[in-house]
Amino acid sequence: MTDDQAMELAMGEARAAGREGDVPVGAVVLGTDGTILGMGRNARERHGDPTAHAEIRALQAAAAILGTWRLTGTTLVVTLEPCPMCAGALVAARVGRVVFGATDPKAGACGSLYNLCSDPRLNHEVTITPGVRSADCGELLTTFFAERRDR
Amino acid sequence: MTDDQAMELAMGEARAAGREGDVPVGAVVLGTDGTILGMGRNARERHGDPTAHAEIRALQAAAAILGTWRLTGTTLVVTLEPCPMCAGALVAARVGRVVFGATDPKAGACGSLYNLCSDPRLNHEVTITPGVRSADCGELLTTFFAERRDR
């Protein structure tokens, strides 16, 4: 599966989050062979859980499938640049690569405010591929917030 | 409940994690009135979940009790300085204050490598109280790793 194809799936998860009243962010975890190990969407409001970001839920799903917390060699594909919590989770899970869509200048931790994925002081580094389908991913967010303002 | 009393409970959680084969780290979340809203211990190995750090699990427990992801005004007490994932979670959850025991020079994100809790660019800041029962909290970890080396 290409990065673009995986991002399309992540965008589907994001749209589902939006329909459920959560900020539309979605994520997919791919194994070393490109198969899907887990998917997740933001459920902070729906679950009333501050940790229920799309990336955290996708990592949990992938770990459950693999039966280990070590997600070595996997790729996480997410519609929005991960926040500090989620970038830290990528490092903690030993994810190999992160692909993201829209950048997050207010809270992004994969290059915008921080780059927690590329810090040689930490015990793992994650390769970053930014800007995949970034316009489409960003539009999901701007549309969601515009519709809420109009209510 | 004082910080020391809460840390004693967090240390109990940490010891339980160690008995279960996980690195002994424990956490407690206190409400604005000092009552316990949630507790958690590291279960990364036991659950095979990279996100199952003590802090994440305690925050999830507190949010479930309160019925909301906004943990405004709460205090999280944890035996070890939070990593980037967990410090990011404290900010995401709008926790008011974090109390920690031992510092973590290798991965700490509340003053050691980063200070994610005190960054005016992020949309929330968390007051930090470091060094509560730090020697006892650190000894839990050194004993755990020493025993594993001796096997």
Side-chain angles (χ1 to χ4, degrees), chain B residues 20-61:
Chain B
E20 293 162 355
D22 268 289
V23 176
V25 181
V28 177
V29 177
L30 304 176
T32 50
D33 60 354
T35 55
I36 297 169
L37 297 176
M39 300 179 70
R41 56 182 182 262
N42 181 28
R44 186 177 66 167
E45 299 291 346
R46 188 163 58 101
H47 289 184
D49 178 353
T51 72
H53 286 196
E55 300 93 316
I56 299 290
R57 299 185 74 218
L59 292 173
Q60 289 169 339

mmCIF file of all heavy atoms in Angstrom, chain B residues 20-61:
data_model
loop_
_atom_site.group_PDB
_atom_site.id
_atom_site.type_symbol
_atom_site.label_atom_id
_atom_site.label_comp_id
_atom_site.label_asym_id
_atom_site.label_seq_id
_atom_site.Cartn_x
_atom_site.Cartn_y
_atom_site.Cartn_z
ATOM 1 N N GLU B 20 4.461 -7.528 38.626
ATOM 2 C CA GLU B 20 3.847 -8.045 37.394
ATOM 3 C C GLU B 20 4.831 -8.084 36.226
ATOM 4 O O GLU B 20 4.448 -8.390 35.091
ATOM 5 C CB GLU B 20 2.628 -7.181 37.037
ATOM 6 C CG GLU B 20 1.500 -7.334 38.052
ATOM 7 C CD GLU B 20 0.476 -6.197 38.002
ATOM 8 O OE1 GLU B 20 0.677 -5.225 37.252
ATOM 9 O OE2 GLU B 20 -0.529 -6.286 38.731
ATOM 10 N N GLY B 21 6.090 -7.726 36.486
ATOM 11 C CA GLY B 21 7.110 -7.806 35.448
ATOM 12 C C GLY B 21 7.306 -6.547 34.637
ATOM 13 O O GLY B 21 8.031 -6.547 33.641
ATOM 14 N N ASP B 22 6.642 -5.471 35.058
ATOM 15 C CA ASP B 22 6.808 -4.199 34.355
ATOM 16 C C ASP B 22 7.706 -3.255 35.156
ATOM 17 O O ASP B 22 7.772 -3.357 36.387
ATOM 18 C CB ASP B 22 5.435 -3.539 34.146
ATOM 19 C CG ASP B 22 4.823 -3.921 32.812
ATOM 20 O OD1 ASP B 22 5.341 -3.445 31.779
ATOM 21 O OD2 ASP B 22 3.847 -4.697 32.797
ATOM 22 N N VAL B 23 8.371 -2.349 34.474
ATOM 23 C CA VAL B 23 9.177 -1.338 35.142
ATOM 24 C C VAL B 23 8.300 -0.629 36.174
ATOM 25 O O VAL B 23 7.196 -0.179 35.850
ATOM 26 C CB VAL B 23 9.738 -0.318 34.120
ATOM 27 C CG1 VAL B 23 10.500 0.791 34.817
ATOM 28 C CG2 VAL B 23 10.645 -1.034 33.109
ATOM 29 N N PRO B 24 8.741 -0.586 37.440
ATOM 30 C CA PRO B 24 7.874 -0.076 38.515
ATOM 31 C C PRO B 24 7.693 1.439 38.514
ATOM 32 O O PRO B 24 8.498 2.177 39.073
ATOM 33 C CB PRO B 24 8.578 -0.551 39.787
ATOM 34 C CG PRO B 24 10.015 -0.685 39.406
ATOM 35 C CD PRO B 24 10.028 -1.071 37.952
ATOM 36 N N VAL B 25 6.614 1.857 37.872
ATOM 37 C CA VAL B 25 6.211 3.265 37.882
ATOM 38 C C VAL B 25 4.718 3.284 38.197
ATOM 39 O O VAL B 25 3.955 2.492 37.630
ATOM 40 C CB VAL B 25 6.473 3.955 36.526
ATOM 41 C CG1 VAL B 25 6.068 5.427 36.588
ATOM 42 C CG2 VAL B 25 7.932 3.819 36.114
ATOM 43 N N GLY B 26 4.321 4.162 39.118
ATOM 44 C CA GLY B 26 2.919 4.268 39.500
ATOM 45 C C GLY B 26 2.466 5.713 39.542
ATOM 46 O O GLY B 26 3.291 6.616 39.727
ATOM 47 N N ALA B 27 1.161 5.925 39.374
ATOM 48 C CA ALA B 27 0.622 7.289 39.344
ATOM 49 C C ALA B 27 -0.757 7.351 39.987
ATOM 50 O O ALA B 27 -1.490 6.359 40.015
ATOM 51 C CB ALA B 27 0.534 7.795 37.909
ATOM 52 N N VAL B 28 -1.080 8.526 40.516
ATOM 53 C CA VAL B 28 -2.373 8.797 41.136
ATOM 54 C C VAL B 28 -2.858 10.155 40.635
ATOM 55 O O VAL B 28 -2.050 11.074 40.499
ATOM 56 C CB VAL B 28 -2.227 8.847 42.680
ATOM 57 C CG1 VAL B 28 -3.544 9.210 43.344
ATOM 58 C CG2 VAL B 28 -1.721 7.517 43.218
ATOM 59 N N VAL B 29 -4.154 10.284 40.358
ATOM 60 C CA VAL B 29 -4.731 11.584 40.014
ATOM 61 C C VAL B 29 -5.635 12.028 41.157
ATOM 62 O O VAL B 29 -6.505 11.269 41.601
ATOM 63 C CB VAL B 29 -5.545 11.538 38.702
ATOM 64 C CG1 VAL B 29 -6.189 12.899 38.411
ATOM 65 C CG2 VAL B 29 -4.660 11.117 37.535
ATOM 66 N N LEU B 30 -5.405 13.249 41.637
ATOM 67 C CA LEU B 30 -6.204 13.821 42.725
ATOM 68 C C LEU B 30 -7.104 14.920 42.183
ATOM 69 O O LEU B 30 -6.689 15.715 41.330
ATOM 70 C CB LEU B 30 -5.281 14.421 43.791
ATOM 71 C CG LEU B 30 -4.235 13.486 44.399
ATOM 72 C CD1 LEU B 30 -3.338 14.270 45.360
ATOM 73 C CD2 LEU B 30 -4.889 12.308 45.107
ATOM 74 N N GLY B 31 -8.316 14.982 42.708
ATOM 75 C CA GLY B 31 -9.233 16.055 42.334
ATOM 76 C C GLY B 31 -8.888 17.354 43.036
ATOM 77 O O GLY B 31 -7.965 17.412 43.857
ATOM 78 N N THR B 32 -9.640 18.385 42.740
ATOM 79 C CA THR B 32 -9.372 19.698 43.328
ATOM 80 C C THR B 32 -9.510 19.675 44.851
ATOM 81 O O THR B 32 -8.874 20.465 45.548
ATOM 82 C CB THR B 32 -10.336 20.751 42.744
ATOM 83 O OG1 THR B 32 -11.674 20.241 42.843
ATOM 84 C CG2 THR B 32 -10.027 21.028 41.299
ATOM 85 N N ASP B 33 -10.310 18.743 45.369
ATOM 86 C CA ASP B 33 -10.493 18.626 46.819
ATOM 87 C C ASP B 33 -9.543 17.596 47.436
ATOM 88 O O ASP B 33 -9.660 17.284 48.628
ATOM 89 C CB ASP B 33 -11.941 18.245 47.143
ATOM 90 C CG ASP B 33 -12.338 16.911 46.501
ATOM 91 O OD1 ASP B 33 -11.520 16.366 45.719
ATOM 92 O OD2 ASP B 33 -13.440 16.426 46.782
ATOM 93 N N GLY B 34 -8.629 17.062 46.651
ATOM 94 C CA GLY B 34 -7.638 16.127 47.169
ATOM 95 C C GLY B 34 -8.076 14.675 47.199
ATOM 96 O O GLY B 34 -7.313 13.810 47.622
ATOM 97 N N THR B 35 -9.292 14.385 46.743
ATOM 98 C CA THR B 35 -9.724 12.990 46.687
ATOM 99 C C THR B 35 -9.111 12.288 45.478
ATOM 100 O O THR B 35 -8.748 12.931 44.501
ATOM 101 C CB THR B 35 -11.259 12.875 46.577
ATOM 102 O OG1 THR B 35 -11.681 13.632 45.446
ATOM 103 C CG2 THR B 35 -11.931 13.416 47.823
ATOM 104 N N ILE B 36 -9.022 10.973 45.562
ATOM 105 C CA ILE B 36 -8.428 10.191 44.479
ATOM 106 C C ILE B 36 -9.437 9.979 43.352
ATOM 107 O O ILE B 36 -10.521 9.449 43.581
ATOM 108 C CB ILE B 36 -7.947 8.834 45.014
ATOM 109 C CG1 ILE B 36 -6.850 9.049 46.051
ATOM 110 C CG2 ILE B 36 -7.440 7.959 43.877
ATOM 111 C CD1 ILE B 36 -6.498 7.793 46.809
ATOM 112 N N LEU B 37 -9.068 10.396 42.146
ATOM 113 C CA LEU B 37 -9.940 10.201 40.982
ATOM 114 C C LEU B 37 -9.515 9.000 40.155
ATOM 115 O O LEU B 37 -10.327 8.415 39.434
ATOM 116 C CB LEU B 37 -9.910 11.452 40.091
ATOM 117 C CG LEU B 37 -10.443 12.737 40.706
ATOM 118 C CD1 LEU B 37 -10.257 13.895 39.729
ATOM 119 C CD2 LEU B 37 -11.907 12.584 41.081
ATOM 120 N N GLY B 38 -8.231 8.644 40.242
ATOM 121 C CA GLY B 38 -7.759 7.527 39.428
ATOM 122 C C GLY B 38 -6.352 7.123 39.833
ATOM 123 O O GLY B 38 -5.606 7.930 40.382
ATOM 124 N N MET B 39 -6.039 5.865 39.604
ATOM 125 C CA MET B 39 -4.693 5.371 39.853
ATOM 126 C C MET B 39 -4.278 4.559 38.632
ATOM 127 O O MET B 39 -5.118 4.087 37.870
ATOM 128 C CB MET B 39 -4.671 4.485 41.100
ATOM 129 C CG MET B 39 -5.128 5.228 42.355
ATOM 130 S SD MET B 39 -5.132 4.203 43.865
ATOM 131 C CE MET B 39 -3.380 3.994 44.142
ATOM 132 N N GLY B 40 -2.975 4.382 38.474
ATOM 133 C CA GLY B 40 -2.516 3.583 37.346
ATOM 134 C C GLY B 40 -1.086 3.139 37.565
ATOM 135 O O GLY B 40 -0.332 3.761 38.308
ATOM 136 N N ARG B 41 -0.743 2.006 36.948
ATOM 137 C CA ARG B 41 0.646 1.559 37.005
ATOM 138 C C ARG B 41 1.078 1.100 35.623
ATOM 139 O O ARG B 41 0.240 0.736 34.792
ATOM 140 C CB ARG B 41 0.800 0.427 38.009
ATOM 141 C CG ARG B 41 -0.085 -0.784 37.789
ATOM 142 C CD ARG B 41 0.168 -1.785 38.901
ATOM 143 N NE ARG B 41 -0.591 -3.000 38.783
ATOM 144 C CZ ARG B 41 -1.736 -3.240 39.429
ATOM 145 N NH1 ARG B 41 -2.277 -2.332 40.205
ATOM 146 N NH2 ARG B 41 -2.345 -4.395 39.293
ATOM 147 N N ASN B 42 2.359 1.153 35.395
ATOM 148 C CA ASN B 42 2.903 0.757 34.109
ATOM 149 C C ASN B 42 2.498 -0.682 33.794
ATOM 150 O O ASN B 42 2.683 -1.579 34.623
ATOM 151 C CB ASN B 42 4.428 0.880 34.153
ATOM 152 C CG ASN B 42 5.072 0.514 32.834
ATOM 153 O OD1 ASN B 42 4.473 0.667 31.775
ATOM 154 N ND2 ASN B 42 6.298 0.031 32.905
ATOM 155 N N ALA B 43 1.944 -0.897 32.596
ATOM 156 C CA ALA B 43 1.513 -2.230 32.186
ATOM 157 C C ALA B 43 1.935 -2.497 30.743
ATOM 158 O O ALA B 43 1.261 -3.216 30.012
ATOM 159 C CB ALA B 43 -0.001 -2.350 32.333
ATOM 160 N N ARG B 44 3.053 -1.906 30.363
ATOM 161 C CA ARG B 44 3.511 -2.038 28.978
ATOM 162 C C ARG B 44 3.736 -3.490 28.582
ATOM 163 O O ARG B 44 3.266 -3.945 27.540
ATOM 164 C CB ARG B 44 4.808 -1.237 28.804
ATOM 165 C CG ARG B 44 5.287 -1.181 27.382
ATOM 166 C CD ARG B 44 6.526 -0.325 27.262
ATOM 167 N NE ARG B 44 7.668 -0.904 27.947
ATOM 168 C CZ ARG B 44 8.928 -0.498 27.798
ATOM 169 N NH1 ARG B 44 9.185 0.527 27.000
ATOM 170 N NH2 ARG B 44 9.916 -1.063 28.439
ATOM 171 N N GLU B 45 4.437 -4.233 29.438
ATOM 172 C CA GLU B 45 4.694 -5.646 29.134
ATOM 173 C C GLU B 45 3.441 -6.489 29.332
ATOM 174 O O GLU B 45 3.094 -7.318 28.493
ATOM 175 C CB GLU B 45 5.816 -6.180 30.044
ATOM 176 C CG GLU B 45 7.161 -5.481 29.885
ATOM 177 C CD GLU B 45 7.841 -5.761 28.552
ATOM 178 O OE1 GLU B 45 7.417 -6.691 27.846
ATOM 179 O OE2 GLU B 45 8.778 -5.019 28.209
ATOM 180 N N ARG B 46 2.772 -6.268 30.450
ATOM 181 C CA ARG B 46 1.616 -7.104 30.795
ATOM 182 C C ARG B 46 0.506 -6.986 29.761
ATOM 183 O O ARG B 46 -0.112 -7.979 29.387
ATOM 184 C CB ARG B 46 1.095 -6.734 32.190
ATOM 185 C CG ARG B 46 0.023 -7.649 32.726
ATOM 186 C CD ARG B 46 -0.145 -7.495 34.223
ATOM 187 N NE ARG B 46 -0.470 -6.140 34.604
ATOM 188 C CZ ARG B 46 -1.706 -5.707 34.914
ATOM 189 N NH1 ARG B 46 -2.718 -6.545 34.908
ATOM 190 N NH2 ARG B 46 -1.920 -4.461 35.256
ATOM 191 N N HIS B 47 0.247 -5.760 29.306
ATOM 192 C CA HIS B 47 -0.802 -5.543 28.308
ATOM 193 C C HIS B 47 -0.264 -5.549 26.875
ATOM 194 O O HIS B 47 -1.060 -5.487 25.932
ATOM 195 C CB HIS B 47 -1.509 -4.229 28.568
ATOM 196 C CG HIS B 47 -2.397 -4.245 29.792
ATOM 197 N ND1 HIS B 47 -3.187 -3.189 30.150
ATOM 198 C CD2 HIS B 47 -2.611 -5.200 30.730
ATOM 199 C CE1 HIS B 47 -3.851 -3.479 31.264
ATOM 200 N NE2 HIS B 47 -3.515 -4.695 31.638
ATOM 201 N N GLY B 48 1.053 -5.559 26.717
ATOM 202 C CA GLY B 48 1.617 -5.471 25.368
ATOM 203 C C GLY B 48 1.178 -4.200 24.672
ATOM 204 O O GLY B 48 0.852 -4.185 23.484
ATOM 205 N N ASP B 49 1.181 -3.099 25.413
ATOM 206 C CA ASP B 49 0.652 -1.826 24.906
ATOM 207 C C ASP B 49 1.687 -0.722 25.146
ATOM 208 O O ASP B 49 1.994 -0.402 26.296
ATOM 209 C CB ASP B 49 -0.658 -1.514 25.638
ATOM 210 C CG ASP B 49 -1.277 -0.185 25.232
ATOM 211 O OD1 ASP B 49 -0.660 0.582 24.475
ATOM 212 O OD2 ASP B 49 -2.404 0.085 25.690
ATOM 213 N N PRO B 50 2.215 -0.137 24.060
ATOM 214 C CA PRO B 50 3.263 0.886 24.216
ATOM 215 C C PRO B 50 2.788 2.151 24.936
ATOM 216 O O PRO B 50 3.599 2.920 25.430
ATOM 217 C CB PRO B 50 3.672 1.209 22.772
ATOM 218 C CG PRO B 50 2.457 0.879 21.959
ATOM 219 C CD PRO B 50 1.838 -0.314 22.647
ATOM 220 N N THR B 51 1.460 2.345 24.985
ATOM 221 C CA THR B 51 0.928 3.559 25.610
ATOM 222 C C THR B 51 0.517 3.337 27.062
ATOM 223 O O THR B 51 0.040 4.270 27.713
ATOM 224 C CB THR B 51 -0.299 4.090 24.838
ATOM 225 O OG1 THR B 51 -1.418 3.218 25.060
ATOM 226 C CG2 THR B 51 -0.025 4.192 23.352
ATOM 227 N N ALA B 52 0.712 2.121 27.579
ATOM 228 C CA ALA B 52 0.210 1.790 28.926
ATOM 229 C C ALA B 52 1.165 2.213 30.036
ATOM 230 O O ALA B 52 1.443 1.446 30.955
ATOM 231 C CB ALA B 52 -0.122 0.305 29.013
ATOM 232 N N HIS B 53 1.661 3.439 29.949
ATOM 233 C CA HIS B 53 2.446 4.008 31.054
ATOM 234 C C HIS B 53 1.499 4.354 32.207
ATOM 235 O O HIS B 53 0.304 4.569 31.993
ATOM 236 C CB HIS B 53 3.192 5.259 30.586
ATOM 237 C CG HIS B 53 4.383 4.981 29.713
ATOM 238 N ND1 HIS B 53 5.358 5.915 29.464
ATOM 239 C CD2 HIS B 53 4.760 3.858 29.044
ATOM 240 C CE1 HIS B 53 6.285 5.383 28.673
ATOM 241 N NE2 HIS B 53 5.946 4.146 28.391
ATOM 242 N N ALA B 54 2.058 4.435 33.404
ATOM 243 C CA ALA B 54 1.263 4.700 34.603
ATOM 244 C C ALA B 54 0.415 5.969 34.468
ATOM 245 O O ALA B 54 -0.769 5.988 34.836
ATOM 246 C CB ALA B 54 2.195 4.819 35.812
ATOM 247 N N GLU B 55 1.029 7.022 33.948
ATOM 248 C CA GLU B 55 0.329 8.311 33.853
ATOM 249 C C GLU B 55 -0.874 8.227 32.922
ATOM 250 O O GLU B 55 -1.952 8.755 33.219
ATOM 251 C CB GLU B 55 1.272 9.408 33.332
ATOM 252 C CG GLU B 55 2.499 9.657 34.186
ATOM 253 C CD GLU B 55 3.710 8.845 33.717
ATOM 254 O OE1 GLU B 55 3.545 7.631 33.418
ATOM 255 O OE2 GLU B 55 4.804 9.415 33.644
ATOM 256 N N ILE B 56 -0.672 7.595 31.754
ATOM 257 C CA ILE B 56 -1.758 7.481 30.770
ATOM 258 C C ILE B 56 -2.930 6.729 31.395
ATOM 259 O O ILE B 56 -4.093 7.134 31.272
ATOM 260 C CB ILE B 56 -1.257 6.730 29.511
ATOM 261 C CG1 ILE B 56 -0.096 7.486 28.841
ATOM 262 C CG2 ILE B 56 -2.415 6.477 28.537
ATOM 263 C CD1 ILE B 56 -0.466 8.768 28.168
ATOM 264 N N ARG B 57 -2.620 5.651 32.083
ATOM 265 C CA ARG B 57 -3.687 4.830 32.657
ATOM 266 C C ARG B 57 -4.401 5.559 33.801
ATOM 267 O O ARG B 57 -5.627 5.448 33.951
ATOM 268 C CB ARG B 57 -3.118 3.489 33.110
ATOM 269 C CG ARG B 57 -2.516 2.739 31.899
ATOM 270 C CD ARG B 57 -2.038 1.368 32.269
ATOM 271 N NE ARG B 57 -3.149 0.466 32.477
ATOM 272 C CZ ARG B 57 -3.191 -0.476 33.424
ATOM 273 N NH1 ARG B 57 -2.182 -0.615 34.269
ATOM 274 N NH2 ARG B 57 -4.229 -1.253 33.532
ATOM 275 N N ALA B 58 -3.660 6.319 34.589
ATOM 276 C CA ALA B 58 -4.280 7.093 35.673
ATOM 277 C C ALA B 58 -5.164 8.205 35.109
ATOM 278 O O ALA B 58 -6.258 8.466 35.622
ATOM 279 C CB ALA B 58 -3.201 7.661 36.596
ATOM 280 N N LEU B 59 -4.697 8.860 34.047
ATOM 281 C CA LEU B 59 -5.502 9.912 33.418
ATOM 282 C C LEU B 59 -6.788 9.325 32.834
ATOM 283 O O LEU B 59 -7.869 9.917 32.968
ATOM 284 C CB LEU B 59 -4.705 10.610 32.297
ATOM 285 C CG LEU B 59 -3.510 11.453 32.736
ATOM 286 C CD1 LEU B 59 -2.729 11.933 31.498
ATOM 287 C CD2 LEU B 59 -3.956 12.650 33.575
ATOM 288 N N GLN B 60 -6.687 8.157 32.196
ATOM 289 C CA GLN B 60 -7.876 7.518 31.626
ATOM 290 C C GLN B 60 -8.870 7.157 32.729
ATOM 291 O O GLN B 60 -10.079 7.343 32.571
ATOM 292 C CB GLN B 60 -7.461 6.268 30.844
ATOM 293 C CG GLN B 60 -6.720 6.593 29.538
ATOM 294 C CD GLN B 60 -6.074 5.383 28.884
ATOM 295 O OE1 GLN B 60 -5.824 4.373 29.554
ATOM 296 N NE2 GLN B 60 -5.779 5.482 27.594
ATOM 297 N N ALA B 61 -8.355 6.667 33.844
ATOM 298 C CA ALA B 61 -9.237 6.299 34.961
ATOM 299 C C ALA B 61 -9.939 7.533 35.525
ATOM 300 O O ALA B 61 -11.147 7.510 35.799
ATOM 301 C CB ALA B 61 -8.430 5.596 36.049
#
